[in-house]
mmCIF file of all heavy atoms in Angstrom:
data_model
loop_
_atom_site.group_PDB
_atom_site.id
_atom_site.type_symbol
_atom_site.label_atom_id
_atom_site.label_comp_id
_atom_site.label_asym_id
_atom_site.label_seq_id
_atom_site.Cartn_x
_atom_site.Cartn_y
_atom_site.Cartn_z
ATOM 1 N N PRO A 181 -3.620 -23.586 24.754
ATOM 2 C CA PRO A 181 -3.593 -22.749 25.954
ATOM 3 C C PRO A 181 -4.300 -21.411 25.737
ATOM 4 O O PRO A 181 -3.689 -20.343 25.755
ATOM 5 C CB PRO A 181 -2.097 -22.574 26.207
ATOM 6 C CG PRO A 181 -1.484 -22.633 24.839
ATOM 7 C CD PRO A 181 -2.322 -23.607 24.059
ATOM 8 N N GLN A 216 6.028 -29.388 25.893
ATOM 9 C CA GLN A 216 6.663 -28.306 25.150
ATOM 10 C C GLN A 216 5.745 -27.697 24.091
ATOM 11 O O GLN A 216 5.801 -26.495 23.830
ATOM 12 C CB GLN A 216 7.951 -28.798 24.501
ATOM 13 C CG GLN A 216 9.026 -29.149 25.487
ATOM 14 C CD GLN A 216 10.383 -29.370 24.847
ATOM 15 O OE1 GLN A 216 11.369 -29.577 25.544
ATOM 16 N NE2 GLN A 216 10.459 -29.343 23.533
ATOM 17 N N GLY A 217 4.887 -28.508 23.488
ATOM 18 C CA GLY A 217 4.012 -27.977 22.467
ATOM 19 C C GLY A 217 3.088 -26.904 22.996
ATOM 20 O O GLY A 217 2.746 -25.953 22.283
ATOM 21 N N ASN A 218 2.654 -27.036 24.247
ATOM 22 C CA ASN A 218 1.804 -26.027 24.867
ATOM 23 C C ASN A 218 2.615 -24.880 25.447
ATOM 24 O O ASN A 218 2.272 -23.708 25.261
ATOM 25 C CB ASN A 218 0.948 -26.659 25.952
ATOM 26 C CG ASN A 218 0.064 -27.769 25.426
ATOM 27 O OD1 ASN A 218 0.049 -28.869 25.976
ATOM 28 N ND2 ASN A 218 -0.662 -27.528 24.350
ATOM 29 N N PHE A 219 3.692 -25.208 26.155
ATOM 30 C CA PHE A 219 4.478 -24.152 26.805
ATOM 31 C C PHE A 219 5.144 -23.234 25.786
ATOM 32 O O PHE A 219 5.310 -22.039 26.053
ATOM 33 C CB PHE A 219 5.516 -24.762 27.752
ATOM 34 C CG PHE A 219 5.022 -24.936 29.157
ATOM 35 C CD1 PHE A 219 4.464 -26.126 29.566
ATOM 36 C CD2 PHE A 219 5.107 -23.909 30.083
ATOM 37 C CE1 PHE A 219 3.999 -26.301 30.863
ATOM 38 C CE2 PHE A 219 4.646 -24.062 31.377
ATOM 39 C CZ PHE A 219 4.088 -25.261 31.768
ATOM 40 N N THR A 220 5.527 -23.761 24.621
ATOM 41 C CA THR A 220 6.178 -22.886 23.644
ATOM 42 C C THR A 220 5.190 -21.904 23.026
ATOM 43 O O THR A 220 5.593 -20.906 22.437
ATOM 44 C CB THR A 220 6.887 -23.717 22.553
ATOM 45 O OG1 THR A 220 7.884 -22.920 21.911
ATOM 46 C CG2 THR A 220 5.914 -24.223 21.503
ATOM 47 N N LEU A 221 3.872 -22.164 23.194
ATOM 48 C CA LEU A 221 2.861 -21.187 22.794
ATOM 49 C C LEU A 221 2.611 -20.153 23.883
ATOM 50 O O LEU A 221 1.925 -19.161 23.646
ATOM 51 C CB LEU A 221 1.553 -21.901 22.441
ATOM 52 C CG LEU A 221 1.583 -22.782 21.191
ATOM 53 C CD1 LEU A 221 0.312 -23.619 21.096
ATOM 54 C CD2 LEU A 221 1.774 -21.940 19.928
ATOM 55 N N MET A 222 3.165 -20.383 25.076
ATOM 56 C CA MET A 222 3.011 -19.448 26.191
ATOM 57 C C MET A 222 4.188 -18.493 26.312
ATOM 58 O O MET A 222 4.109 -17.494 27.040
ATOM 59 C CB MET A 222 2.897 -20.209 27.520
ATOM 60 C CG MET A 222 1.823 -21.249 27.626
ATOM 61 S SD MET A 222 1.929 -22.051 29.269
ATOM 62 C CE MET A 222 0.945 -23.526 29.014
ATOM 63 N N THR A 223 5.317 -18.796 25.652
ATOM 64 C CA THR A 223 6.545 -18.029 25.872
ATOM 65 C C THR A 223 7.401 -18.026 24.607
ATOM 66 O O THR A 223 7.334 -18.965 23.807
ATOM 67 C CB THR A 223 7.362 -18.631 27.027
ATOM 68 O OG1 THR A 223 8.595 -17.904 27.180
ATOM 69 C CG2 THR A 223 7.693 -20.092 26.775
ATOM 70 N N ASP A 224 8.215 -16.987 24.462
ATOM 71 C CA ASP A 224 9.185 -16.953 23.374
ATOM 72 C C ASP A 224 10.542 -17.473 23.814
ATOM 73 O O ASP A 224 11.492 -17.463 23.028
ATOM 74 C CB ASP A 224 9.337 -15.516 22.847
ATOM 75 C CG ASP A 224 8.087 -15.042 22.113
ATOM 76 O OD1 ASP A 224 7.440 -15.873 21.452
ATOM 77 O OD2 ASP A 224 7.768 -13.834 22.209
ATOM 78 N N ASP A 225 10.653 -17.907 25.060
ATOM 79 C CA ASP A 225 11.934 -18.394 25.577
ATOM 80 C C ASP A 225 11.681 -19.621 26.445
ATOM 81 O O ASP A 225 11.722 -19.559 27.675
ATOM 82 C CB ASP A 225 12.636 -17.290 26.370
ATOM 83 C CG ASP A 225 14.066 -17.680 26.764
ATOM 84 O OD1 ASP A 225 14.488 -18.827 26.477
ATOM 85 O OD2 ASP A 225 14.754 -16.832 27.379
ATOM 86 N N LEU A 226 11.407 -20.745 25.793
ATOM 87 C CA LEU A 226 11.076 -21.952 26.532
ATOM 88 C C LEU A 226 12.221 -22.436 27.422
ATOM 89 O O LEU A 226 11.975 -22.857 28.564
ATOM 90 C CB LEU A 226 10.638 -23.056 25.565
ATOM 91 C CG LEU A 226 10.159 -24.356 26.195
ATOM 92 C CD1 LEU A 226 9.051 -24.125 27.213
ATOM 93 C CD2 LEU A 226 9.698 -25.335 25.118
ATOM 94 N N PRO A 227 13.492 -22.400 26.972
ATOM 95 C CA PRO A 227 14.560 -22.842 27.879
ATOM 96 C C PRO A 227 14.573 -22.077 29.200
ATOM 97 O O PRO A 227 14.848 -22.664 30.259
ATOM 98 C CB PRO A 227 15.838 -22.594 27.068
ATOM 99 C CG PRO A 227 15.392 -22.739 25.642
ATOM 100 C CD PRO A 227 14.013 -22.127 25.616
ATOM 101 N N ARG A 243 7.882 -32.128 22.204
ATOM 102 C CA ARG A 243 7.268 -31.938 20.891
ATOM 103 C C ARG A 243 7.314 -30.467 20.533
ATOM 104 O O ARG A 243 7.753 -29.637 21.337
ATOM 105 C CB ARG A 243 5.818 -32.440 20.878
ATOM 106 C CG ARG A 243 4.837 -31.668 21.759
ATOM 107 C CD ARG A 243 3.448 -32.280 21.670
ATOM 108 N NE ARG A 243 2.467 -31.609 22.490
ATOM 109 C CZ ARG A 243 1.639 -30.652 22.068
ATOM 110 N NH1 ARG A 243 1.709 -30.233 20.809
ATOM 111 N NH2 ARG A 243 0.745 -30.110 22.880
ATOM 112 N N ASP A 244 6.849 -30.138 19.320
ATOM 113 C CA ASP A 244 6.928 -28.752 18.881
ATOM 114 C C ASP A 244 5.749 -28.409 17.985
ATOM 115 O O ASP A 244 5.069 -29.291 17.445
ATOM 116 C CB ASP A 244 8.242 -28.502 18.136
ATOM 117 C CG ASP A 244 8.715 -27.058 18.233
ATOM 118 O OD1 ASP A 244 8.011 -26.234 18.857
ATOM 119 O OD2 ASP A 244 9.791 -26.749 17.676
ATOM 120 N N VAL A 245 5.506 -27.097 17.861
ATOM 121 C CA VAL A 245 4.430 -26.565 17.029
ATOM 122 C C VAL A 245 4.959 -25.354 16.269
ATOM 123 O O VAL A 245 6.059 -24.869 16.518
ATOM 124 C CB VAL A 245 3.211 -26.147 17.880
ATOM 125 C CG1 VAL A 245 2.633 -27.331 18.629
ATOM 126 C CG2 VAL A 245 3.574 -25.026 18.848
ATOM 127 N N ARG A 246 4.120 -24.872 15.362
ATOM 128 C CA ARG A 246 4.413 -23.633 14.649
ATOM 129 C C ARG A 246 3.152 -22.788 14.667
ATOM 130 O O ARG A 246 2.070 -23.278 14.304
ATOM 131 C CB ARG A 246 4.816 -23.933 13.207
ATOM 132 C CG ARG A 246 5.174 -22.711 12.371
ATOM 133 C CD ARG A 246 5.360 -23.061 10.898
ATOM 134 N NE ARG A 246 6.419 -24.063 10.711
ATOM 135 C CZ ARG A 246 6.213 -25.277 10.235
ATOM 136 N NH1 ARG A 246 4.987 -25.673 9.903
ATOM 137 N NH2 ARG A 246 7.215 -26.123 10.089
ATOM 138 N N GLY A 247 3.259 -21.515 15.123
ATOM 139 C CA GLY A 247 2.093 -20.643 15.129
ATOM 140 C C GLY A 247 1.911 -19.926 16.451
ATOM 141 O O GLY A 247 2.870 -19.710 17.201
ATOM 142 N N VAL A 248 0.668 -19.574 16.750
ATOM 143 C CA VAL A 248 0.299 -18.851 17.969
ATOM 144 C C VAL A 248 -0.838 -19.618 18.632
ATOM 145 O O VAL A 248 -1.426 -20.520 18.028
ATOM 146 C CB VAL A 248 -0.131 -17.399 17.644
ATOM 147 C CG1 VAL A 248 1.034 -16.609 17.065
ATOM 148 C CG2 VAL A 248 -1.327 -17.384 16.679
ATOM 149 N N PRO A 249 -1.178 -19.304 19.895
ATOM 150 C CA PRO A 249 -2.170 -20.119 20.606
ATOM 151 C C PRO A 249 -3.505 -20.278 19.886
ATOM 152 O O PRO A 249 -4.150 -21.322 20.000
ATOM 153 C CB PRO A 249 -2.337 -19.376 21.942
ATOM 154 C CG PRO A 249 -1.013 -18.736 22.171
ATOM 155 C CD PRO A 249 -0.550 -18.316 20.804
ATOM 156 N N THR A 250 -3.922 -19.264 19.142
ATOM 157 C CA THR A 250 -5.221 -19.348 18.473
ATOM 158 C C THR A 250 -5.160 -20.008 17.101
ATOM 159 O O THR A 250 -6.210 -20.342 16.531
ATOM 160 C CB THR A 250 -5.832 -17.945 18.309
ATOM 161 O OG1 THR A 250 -4.880 -17.099 17.641
ATOM 162 C CG2 THR A 250 -6.197 -17.353 19.663
ATOM 163 N N GLN A 251 -3.954 -20.219 16.570
ATOM 164 C CA GLN A 251 -3.817 -20.852 15.258
ATOM 165 C C GLN A 251 -2.414 -21.446 15.132
ATOM 166 O O GLN A 251 -1.441 -20.719 15.001
ATOM 167 C CB GLN A 251 -4.077 -19.849 14.131
ATOM 168 C CG GLN A 251 -4.107 -20.497 12.753
ATOM 169 C CD GLN A 251 -4.555 -19.526 11.662
ATOM 170 O OE1 GLN A 251 -4.830 -18.360 11.938
ATOM 171 N NE2 GLN A 251 -4.639 -19.999 10.436
ATOM 172 N N PHE A 252 -2.343 -22.752 15.170
ATOM 173 C CA PHE A 252 -1.042 -23.409 15.103
ATOM 174 C C PHE A 252 -1.185 -24.792 14.487
ATOM 175 O O PHE A 252 -2.283 -25.313 14.321
ATOM 176 C CB PHE A 252 -0.420 -23.522 16.503
ATOM 177 C CG PHE A 252 -1.220 -24.364 17.468
ATOM 178 C CD1 PHE A 252 -1.041 -25.746 17.543
ATOM 179 C CD2 PHE A 252 -2.160 -23.793 18.314
ATOM 180 C CE1 PHE A 252 -1.783 -26.517 18.422
ATOM 181 C CE2 PHE A 252 -2.905 -24.556 19.200
ATOM 182 C CZ PHE A 252 -2.711 -25.922 19.248
ATOM 183 N N GLU A 253 -0.045 -25.372 14.147
ATOM 184 C CA GLU A 253 -0.025 -26.760 13.695
ATOM 185 C C GLU A 253 1.133 -27.495 14.358
ATOM 186 O O GLU A 253 2.155 -26.890 14.723
ATOM 187 C CB GLU A 253 0.091 -26.855 12.185
ATOM 188 C CG GLU A 253 1.393 -26.352 11.592
ATOM 189 C CD GLU A 253 1.409 -26.475 10.072
ATOM 190 O OE1 GLU A 253 0.486 -25.941 9.426
ATOM 191 O OE2 GLU A 253 2.365 -27.087 9.537
ATOM 192 N N GLU A 254 0.951 -28.795 14.555
ATOM 193 C CA GLU A 254 2.042 -29.625 15.052
ATOM 194 C C GLU A 254 3.129 -29.697 13.984
ATOM 195 O O GLU A 254 2.854 -29.510 12.784
ATOM 196 C CB GLU A 254 1.539 -31.042 15.351
ATOM 197 C CG GLU A 254 0.329 -31.116 16.260
ATOM 198 C CD GLU A 254 0.681 -31.043 17.725
ATOM 199 O OE1 GLU A 254 1.873 -30.940 18.070
ATOM 200 O OE2 GLU A 254 -0.259 -31.097 18.540
ATOM 201 N N THR A 255 4.362 -29.985 14.397
ATOM 202 C CA THR A 255 5.458 -30.085 13.430
ATOM 203 C C THR A 255 6.302 -31.320 13.702
ATOM 204 O O THR A 255 6.209 -31.936 14.769
ATOM 205 C CB THR A 255 6.390 -28.853 13.509
ATOM 206 O OG1 THR A 255 7.097 -28.879 14.764
ATOM 207 C CG2 THR A 255 5.616 -27.555 13.387
ATOM 208 N N TRP A 256 7.112 -31.651 12.715
ATOM 209 C CA TRP A 256 8.185 -32.599 12.969
ATOM 210 C C TRP A 256 9.085 -32.011 14.052
ATOM 211 O O TRP A 256 9.156 -30.785 14.241
ATOM 212 C CB TRP A 256 8.990 -32.834 11.690
ATOM 213 C CG TRP A 256 8.272 -33.627 10.644
ATOM 214 C CD1 TRP A 256 7.300 -33.185 9.801
ATOM 215 C CD2 TRP A 256 8.469 -35.010 10.358
ATOM 216 N NE1 TRP A 256 6.873 -34.206 9.003
ATOM 217 C CE2 TRP A 256 7.578 -35.349 9.314
ATOM 218 C CE3 TRP A 256 9.313 -36.003 10.867
ATOM 219 C CZ2 TRP A 256 7.500 -36.621 8.771
ATOM 220 C CZ3 TRP A 256 9.241 -37.276 10.328
ATOM 221 C CH2 TRP A 256 8.351 -37.588 9.301
ATOM 222 N N HIS A 257 9.798 -32.881 14.750
ATOM 223 C CA HIS A 257 10.605 -32.411 15.879
ATOM 224 C C HIS A 257 11.710 -31.434 15.467
ATOM 225 O O HIS A 257 12.179 -30.642 16.292
ATOM 226 C CB HIS A 257 11.214 -33.611 16.626
ATOM 227 C CG HIS A 257 10.257 -34.235 17.605
ATOM 228 N ND1 HIS A 257 9.164 -34.952 17.209
ATOM 229 C CD2 HIS A 257 10.231 -34.207 18.961
ATOM 230 C CE1 HIS A 257 8.495 -35.370 18.274
ATOM 231 N NE2 HIS A 257 9.116 -34.934 19.345
ATOM 232 N N ASP A 258 12.103 -31.469 14.202
ATOM 233 C CA ASP A 258 13.191 -30.587 13.752
ATOM 234 C C ASP A 258 12.673 -29.413 12.920
ATOM 235 O O ASP A 258 13.445 -28.741 12.250
ATOM 236 C CB ASP A 258 14.210 -31.379 12.930
ATOM 237 C CG ASP A 258 13.594 -32.026 11.690
ATOM 238 O OD1 ASP A 258 12.372 -31.893 11.476
ATOM 239 O OD2 ASP A 258 14.333 -32.681 10.933
ATOM 240 N N ALA A 259 11.359 -29.149 12.960
ATOM 241 C CA ALA A 259 10.812 -28.149 12.042
ATOM 242 C C ALA A 259 9.879 -27.153 12.717
ATOM 243 O O ALA A 259 9.142 -26.452 12.028
ATOM 244 C CB ALA A 259 10.060 -28.858 10.906
ATOM 245 N N GLY A 260 9.903 -27.064 14.034
ATOM 246 C CA GLY A 260 9.009 -26.163 14.744
ATOM 247 C C GLY A 260 9.663 -24.856 15.122
ATOM 248 O O GLY A 260 10.733 -24.498 14.634
ATOM 249 N N LYS A 261 9.035 -24.142 16.043
ATOM 250 C CA LYS A 261 9.504 -22.814 16.444
ATOM 251 C C LYS A 261 10.514 -22.859 17.574
ATOM 252 O O LYS A 261 11.133 -21.848 17.895
ATOM 253 C CB LYS A 261 8.303 -21.953 16.857
ATOM 254 C CG LYS A 261 7.545 -22.453 18.065
ATOM 255 C CD LYS A 261 6.355 -21.557 18.424
ATOM 256 C CE LYS A 261 6.799 -20.224 18.965
ATOM 257 N NZ LYS A 261 5.663 -19.408 19.453
ATOM 258 N N THR A 262 10.706 -24.041 18.196
ATOM 259 C CA THR A 262 11.478 -24.133 19.426
ATOM 260 C C THR A 262 12.911 -24.578 19.163
ATOM 261 O O THR A 262 13.151 -25.430 18.304
ATOM 262 C CB THR A 262 10.810 -25.139 20.375
ATOM 263 O OG1 THR A 262 9.447 -24.763 20.556
ATOM 264 C CG2 THR A 262 11.505 -25.190 21.713
ATOM 265 N N ASP A 263 13.847 -24.018 19.921
ATOM 266 C CA ASP A 263 15.230 -24.480 19.898
ATOM 267 C C ASP A 263 15.307 -25.737 20.770
ATOM 268 O O ASP A 263 15.477 -25.668 21.983
ATOM 269 C CB ASP A 263 16.157 -23.385 20.432
ATOM 270 C CG ASP A 263 17.635 -23.744 20.292
ATOM 271 O OD1 ASP A 263 17.965 -24.952 20.223
ATOM 272 O OD2 ASP A 263 18.462 -22.805 20.265
ATOM 273 N N MET A 264 15.164 -26.900 20.139
ATOM 274 C CA MET A 264 15.087 -28.152 20.879
ATOM 275 C C MET A 264 16.414 -28.498 21.555
ATOM 276 O O MET A 264 16.425 -29.078 22.642
ATOM 277 C CB MET A 264 14.651 -29.277 19.944
ATOM 278 C CG MET A 264 13.323 -29.006 19.234
ATOM 279 S SD MET A 264 11.913 -28.994 20.356
ATOM 280 C CE MET A 264 11.185 -30.583 19.984
ATOM 281 N N LEU A 265 17.508 -28.133 20.922
ATOM 282 C CA LEU A 265 18.812 -28.369 21.534
ATOM 283 C C LEU A 265 18.953 -27.560 22.817
ATOM 284 O O LEU A 265 19.410 -28.076 23.846
ATOM 285 C CB LEU A 265 19.923 -28.002 20.555
ATOM 286 C CG LEU A 265 21.359 -28.103 21.084
ATOM 287 C CD1 LEU A 265 21.693 -29.529 21.509
ATOM 288 C CD2 LEU A 265 22.349 -27.607 20.029
ATOM 289 N N ALA A 266 18.525 -26.300 22.783
ATOM 290 C CA ALA A 266 18.606 -25.459 23.973
ATOM 291 C C ALA A 266 17.714 -26.003 25.083
ATOM 292 O O ALA A 266 18.064 -25.927 26.271
ATOM 293 C CB ALA A 266 18.215 -24.025 23.635
ATOM 294 N N CYS A 267 16.560 -26.581 24.722
ATOM 295 C CA CYS A 267 15.687 -27.179 25.732
ATOM 296 C C CYS A 267 16.352 -28.377 26.387
ATOM 297 O O CYS A 267 16.307 -28.530 27.616
ATOM 298 C CB CYS A 267 14.355 -27.585 25.109
ATOM 299 S SG CYS A 267 13.298 -26.200 24.650
ATOM 300 N N TYR A 309 15.558 -38.759 16.937
ATOM 301 C CA TYR A 309 15.937 -37.356 17.056
ATOM 302 C C TYR A 309 16.245 -37.009 18.511
ATOM 303 O O TYR A 309 17.273 -36.378 18.816
ATOM 304 C CB TYR A 309 14.799 -36.489 16.524
ATOM 305 C CG TYR A 309 15.045 -35.002 16.589
ATOM 306 C CD1 TYR A 309 15.737 -34.341 15.582
ATOM 307 C CD2 TYR A 309 14.582 -34.252 17.669
ATOM 308 C CE1 TYR A 309 15.957 -32.976 15.641
ATOM 309 C CE2 TYR A 309 14.795 -32.889 17.742
ATOM 310 C CZ TYR A 309 15.483 -32.247 16.725
ATOM 311 O OH TYR A 309 15.701 -30.898 16.804
#
Side-chain angles (χ1 to χ4, degrees):
Q216 293 192 175
N218 301 129
F219 269 93
T220 201
L221 293 170
M222 305 178 196
T223 177
D224 291 325
D225 188 357
L226 184 54
R243 66 181 179 95
D244 208 359
V245 299
R246 181 189 301 116
V248 296
T250 54
Q251 187 172 1
F252 62 87
E253 66 181 55
E254 307 277 0
T255 68
W256 289 77
H257 278 71
D258 60 358
K261 63 180 290 186
T262 306
D263 186 336
M264 304 292 256
L265 176 61
C267 289
Y309 180 85

